[in-house]
Amino acid sequence: MPDRPFIANADYEVIDRSPLVLAIGDHVRLGQRDSDWPGWIWATAINGRGSYVPEDILKAASDGTARVEQAFHARDLTVVKDEHVTSLREVKGWHWCRNAAEAEGWLPAYLLREG
């Protein structure tokens, strides 16, 4: 899917200043599935950091753990209303976006309108 331009409908501020970062081969402990965002599940890394991650990047084991099959960064992107961003990819209702300053991070789809 090609990059897509969007405009933020509202301000969105990053809360987690130390987001979860997972590399291929990492092992995580699985938690609850996100009831608001199907396809996302809570994962806790060995260092204790946790976040919701897309289930399809994990290979679950029978003991409640999983192996990371695709690198993932849980960084959100701070935006202000009417800011232009580019979606580089969409994953289950969230967009990995880049702003004019070249910063990248996740934004929920409901926050974006085609632009």
Side-chain angles (χ1 to χ4, degrees):
M1 172 183 251
D3 298 350
R4 294 170 49 202
F6 285 97
I7 301 170
N9 292 324
D11 294 349
Y12 185 81
E13 186 173 349
V14 172
I15 298 169
D16 188 354
R17 303 279 182 214
S18 182
L20 175 68
V21 178
L22 299 172
I24 294 171
D26 286 351
H27 286 84
V28 295
R29 187 176 63 251
L30 298 177
Q32 293 186 346
R33 287 181 170 80
D34 191 326
S35 60
D36 294 328
W37 297 99
W40 292 78
I41 190 167
W42 189 263
T44 305
I46 192 123
N47 66 2
R49 297 288 311 155
S51 179
Y52 283 104
V53 302
E55 283 187 83
D56 56 6
I57 71 162
L58 304 171
K59 182 173 184 177
S62 60
D63 63 356
T65 65
R67 181 183 184 280
V68 177
E69 300 285 308
Q70 180 182 349
F72 179 80
H73 199 300
R75 176 180 55 237
D76 287 347
L77 182 64
T78 294
V79 293
V80 294
K81 184 177 180 183
D82 296 325
E83 182 175 350
H84 291 255
V85 297
T86 300
S87 173
L88 305 177
R89 70 181 181 275
E90 182 178 2
V91 179
K92 305 203 181 293
W94 286 77
H95 290 264
W96 182 261
C97 293
R98 179 183 299 139
N99 65 15
E102 301 293 315
E104 293 184 9
W106 294 104
L107 290 170
Y110 70 81
L111 188 76
L112 303 171
R113 69 180 187 273
E114 296 282 341

